[in-house]
Amino acid sequence: MTTAAAPQGPARHGHAPGTDGGGHGTGVGPGTGIGIGHADDGDRGSLRAALAGLTTRGRSFLAAGVAAAACAYVLGQGDLLRVGLLLAVLPLICVVVLHRTRYRVAASRRLAPQRVETGTEARVHLRMDNVSRLPTGLLMLQDHVPYMLGPRPRFVLDRVEAGGRREVSYRVRSDLRGRFPLGPLQLRLSDPFGMCELTRSFSAYDTLTVIPRTEPLPPVKLGGESAGYGEGQQRALALAGDDDIIPRAYRHGDDLRRVHWRSTARYGELMVRREEQPQRARCTVLLDTRDVAYEGSGPDSAFEWAVSGAASVLTHMLERGYSVRLLTDTGSTVPGQGAEGFTGSGHDSADSAGLMMDTLAVVDHSEGAGLSRAHDVLRGGQEGLLVAFLGDLDEEQAALAARMRQRGGAAVAFVLDSGTWLTGGAVTGAVEDRLRRLREGGWQAFAVSPGTRLADLWQQAGGASSETSAADTYGGWS
């Protein structure tokens, strides 16, 4: 069998071995075609494969025919011999006819959408085109789907006329995060008597990305927002004189009244004054993924709540116009490009948001035991909002986390105690001690109990930030 790679794009195409000429697939219409039959240079091997495709019915007929012929020879019954030959020859004829079939079909798959949240359904659309000059017989489509997404879909196409098209669809749903391959698509051809079946596989497959579920958060004002300028605001540069003006090259459409003649004479090209420099507020979302910090597993575990919370905060802050980055305890940042790993703006920001969600879709526990790498990344960074989702903290890690808060920036921590999540009990004294240590370091720290909504804690963080700002306007929260 020969295969060819499928073109890239949202609608993926593929093909299996062909039988026209040398048996190679050709690009046809929306996808790449497959042929069901044999290749001229591998006739014997293809015929053996067709014989191996005999169904239980076909093998039973063949065995009954051979047995009847043997009994007829022993007993000398001519009529029984003819019956035996008929029973034995019928499945062989079906094998030969199916083996010589020259059907060519093209298939494509489309996901809508390609990225979904956990617990949300996605629809997979399959399209089958008959690009041969003959109508097909009975066809069965089967798509390979991981068991986490549901049962394997199967469709029966009774007859596809020459040049005809059939479209079918099915739904997939997962309660677990991850990237799940869909495909390859299998096509099974059967003869009218059900004696033989031939299966061919397309070469292409698609990937469905299941991201964490996000929760809408209220638009509260957190401390530290004055350090940046989110939601499209701009900061004017201090202009004390000509030396403070930052010139740039002239662009088509610039106001000629802003031409800076001194810089123009110096650089030999037309320069204009740049009196405004747009900036965006920054937000770092820290996700603690240490294996020792969480107990339990499954969609309702503390770790999954932390991942979902990080996704919710990232989405919320991006919608408010912030430059956002995702930081883990391993010290890795996403998107990891640009100044200190923060996102850009416009189209780059949308791409970075998708990259962060894809990262959260597959994030797993790390083998690290501490938060030192994340502390090194945050140390010496620019001020901004820091939102952390932390697991179990011992005294040393709590002290280290308390030092992560940047001077002049706000910091909000959501601490999840695995023991509380496993037993469903109240927050222990040890957790309260860790929260006190974080608050002494300037954090707004909250203990997260099972079933707690992030939106409620987010609202509390906004209220606590407002009270702190009103009490002390120089305390780094305003």
Side-chain angles (χ1 to χ4, degrees), residues 192-362:
F193 299 100
M195 299 289 181
C196 182
E197 291 182 348
L198 290 182
T199 301
R200 295 292 183 265
S201 295
F202 291 83
S203 60
Y205 66 92
D206 289 272
T207 301
L208 176 67
T209 303
V210 182
I211 63 176
R213 181 183 294 274
T214 58
E215 180 180 352
L217 302 179
V220 299
K221 182 176 177 61
L222 297 173
E225 290 192 1
S226 60
Y229 297 82
E231 299 178 303
Q233 299 180 11
Q234 292 182 340
R235 178 174 67 181
L237 298 177
L239 302 179
D242 290 344
D243 292 339
D244 293 326
I245 297 176
I246 302 177
R248 62 168 175 83
Y250 173 82
R251 298 172 185 171
H252 179 71
D254 285 339
D255 190 350
L256 293 178
R257 291 174 296 182
R258 295 175 54 194
V259 174
H260 192 245
W261 298 109
R262 181 178 299 179
S263 299
T264 300
R266 178 185 301 174
Y267 294 103
E269 59 177 327
L270 201 59
M271 307 291 290
V272 297
R273 295 188 302 271
R274 182 172 56 185
E275 298 176 350
E276 289 185 341
Q277 180 178 356
Q279 292 188 355
R280 308 176 75 195
R282 291 183 170 184
C283 175
T284 298
V285 178
L286 171 61
L287 176 62
D288 182 8
T289 63
R290 296 172 299 137
D291 188 28
V292 296
Y294 299 94
E295 296 181 15
S297 60
D300 298 327
S301 64
F303 180 68
E304 292 301 324
W305 193 98
V307 174
S308 178
S312 301
V313 173
L314 289 170
T315 302
H316 177 73
M317 303 311 290
L318 284 171
E319 291 175 351
R320 297 191 63 188
Y322 277 64
S323 291
V324 181
R325 68 175 175 180
L326 172 65
L327 173 66
T328 65
D329 59 286
T330 61
S332 60
T333 60
V334 181
Q337 297 179 355
E340 299 182 3
F342 288 88
T343 63
S345 59
H347 181 69
D348 293 338
S349 179
D351 292 342
S352 299
L355 179 59
M356 286 186 287
M357 290 301 165
D358 290 344
T359 301
L360 289 176
V362 296

Side-chain angles (χ1 to χ4, degrees), residues 220 222 305 385-391 393 411-417 421 427 431-432 434-439 442-449 452-468 477:
V220 299
L222 297 173
W305 193 98
L385 178 62
L386 174 60
V387 182
F389 293 86
L390 305 174
L393 298 174
V412 182
F414 302 100
V415 181
L416 297 92
D417 178 46
W421 280 75
V427 177
V431 178
E432 291 292 350
R434 306 296 182 259
L435 296 177
R436 179 184 55 81
R437 178 67 65 89
L438 291 175
R439 288 164 184 163
W443 288 76
Q444 284 292 330
F446 302 90
V448 182
S449 302
T452 305
R453 295 179 64 249
L454 177 61
D456 297 335
L457 297 178
W458 193 256
Q459 186 72 47
Q460 296 178 27
S465 175
S466 300
E467 294 176 1
T468 305
W477 283 87

Side-chain angles (χ1 to χ4, degrees), residues 94-116:
C94 292
V95 168
V96 173
V97 171
L98 205 60
H99 171 67
R100 304 296 299 181
T101 301
R102 289 295 195 277
Y103 297 149
R104 294 191 64 82
V105 295
S108 65
R109 181 192 297 104
R110 179 171 58 88
L111 302 182
Q114 289 186 307
R115 184 187 291 116
V116 297

Side-chain angles (χ1 to χ4, degrees), residues 371-391:
L371 301 172
S372 58
R373 294 183 179 178
H375 176 267
D376 294 338
V377 174
L378 293 172
R379 183 175 55 188
Q382 297 186 7
E383 60 185 18
L385 178 62
L386 174 60
V387 182
F389 293 86
L390 305 174

Side-chain angles (χ1 to χ4, degrees), residues 103-106 128-136 160-166:
Y103 297 149
R104 294 191 64 82
V105 295
M128 185 70 61
D129 293 82
N130 181 14
V131 296
S132 63
R133 299 180 181 180
L134 299 175
T136 68
V160 183
E161 64 278 5
R165 176 191 305 171
R166 296 291 185 272

